[in-house]
Amino acid sequence: MTGSSGFVGGAVVRDLAAHGHEVVAFSRRVPRLPGEILHRVAHQFWDLRDGPLAKEDRPEHVDAVVHCGASVGDGGSHARAWVVNVEGTRAVRETFPDARFVHVSSGSVYDPRKPSVAATEAEAPARGYVNAYGSTKAAAERYLASDAAREDRGPVVVLRPHAVYGPGDTTLLPRLESAAIGAWLPIPGGGKVRQHLTHVETLTRAVRASLDADLQPEITAGRPLVANVADARPVDLDQTLELLMFARFRPVQVVGIPIRLANVLAWAGERVARWTGREPRLSRYTISHLAMERTYDLTVLRERLGVDPAPTSLHGAMSW
């Protein structure tokens, strides 16, 4: 399993080990694991930018691979993101060509220029991505779709979570808290949209289900099984963000930034970011995920993977 030292990867490692799986955790850093599951997890250093593992370094008898490793920043070099998100995916697939391949993709592969309204899996990958993350995650999916058609390869499952949150969050929550200005939380459009969020436990359940799912229809057709992953129902974004910040002992009120002004600020911020090498505080990508509806059809998750997701929950948010 790749990306094991990250937020999502670490959660998947802990979940799989807790449910009796023997896990080889690959990452550039040693993951933090509770003592009760250490005997089920072996760690091996692997930087995906180095390409496939040498044959002598590959563990034996790998039944399935869960690929969580990715470059997730907003902005930055397209070439750098391509090396990790596309060539890194290729490296993992080439290292374990016969194994079932569970690829953790993203809701960012849907069209960022228009709302996603109960979007089905067939609506992505799309075109016109506004940052390297979306375009390279889509390219990785296209690669896996073509590779799944080969008879000598293991079956592929692609999971598309949107806005993953929960204990250990290193991406969504820090960005949200850094955006707050005193008692105000400026959001493009004011957050008056419906959104699907994905608790990390919903995602780990989907990963676990993917390891046992019947993929014979996809194997016969030579294509991956693709599933949107999210909590049971969409939420009102502005209300949920205010509740989350309140649970973190930082009460704020969501205030709207006019979309036209937000786009101007994003345009300027992205250009400054190119010079500084830092992520922009506001980007077209951010606007596309905050100012538009992002809801997804969960039929495949429920009917093919057998996962009945729980509603969005902020329980325990004070300690995330």
Side-chain angles (χ1 to χ4, degrees), residues 20 51 115 193 210 216 254 266 279 293 296:
V193 291
S210 298
Q216 194 55 51
V254 170
E279 289 191 14
E293 178 170 336
Y296 304 91

Side-chain angles (χ1 to χ4, degrees), residues 153-181:
R153 299 290 196 173
V156 176
V157 180
V158 174
L159 303 178
R160 293 178 182 158
H162 177 258
V164 183
Y165 69 98
D169 180 5
T170 58
T171 303
L172 195 62
L173 185 57
R175 288 179 178 175
L176 177 64
E177 293 188 325
S178 67
I181 303 173

Side-chain angles (χ1 to χ4, degrees), residues 16 18 22 49 58 67 122 132 140 143 147 185 216 239-240 248 263 280 286 307:
L16 292 178
E22 293 186 7
R49 296 171 297 183
R58 301 176 186 180
H67 179 40
Y143 158 70
D147 198 68
L185 180 61
Q216 194 55 51
Q239 295 177 19
T240 303
R248 298 279 295 174
N263 280 317
T286 302
V307 175

Side-chain angles (χ1 to χ4, degrees), residues 39-100:
H39 66 289
R40 289 192 170 276
V41 180
H43 179 260
Q44 192 168 333
F45 290 101
W46 187 10
D47 189 332
L48 299 181
R49 296 171 297 183
D50 295 335
L53 282 178
K55 290 185 177 181
E56 60 270 20
D57 295 330
R58 301 176 186 180
E60 297 180 354
H61 312 303
V62 173
D63 299 314
V65 175
V66 180
H67 179 40
C68 296
S71 173
V72 299
D74 181 9
S77 165
H78 187 276
R80 189 177 301 116
W82 183 276
V83 169
V84 177
N85 293 345
V86 183
E87 297 305 325
T89 299
R90 191 188 309 273
V92 178
R93 183 68 161 164
E94 292 294 337
T95 299
F96 305 105
D98 301 326
R100 177 175 295 215

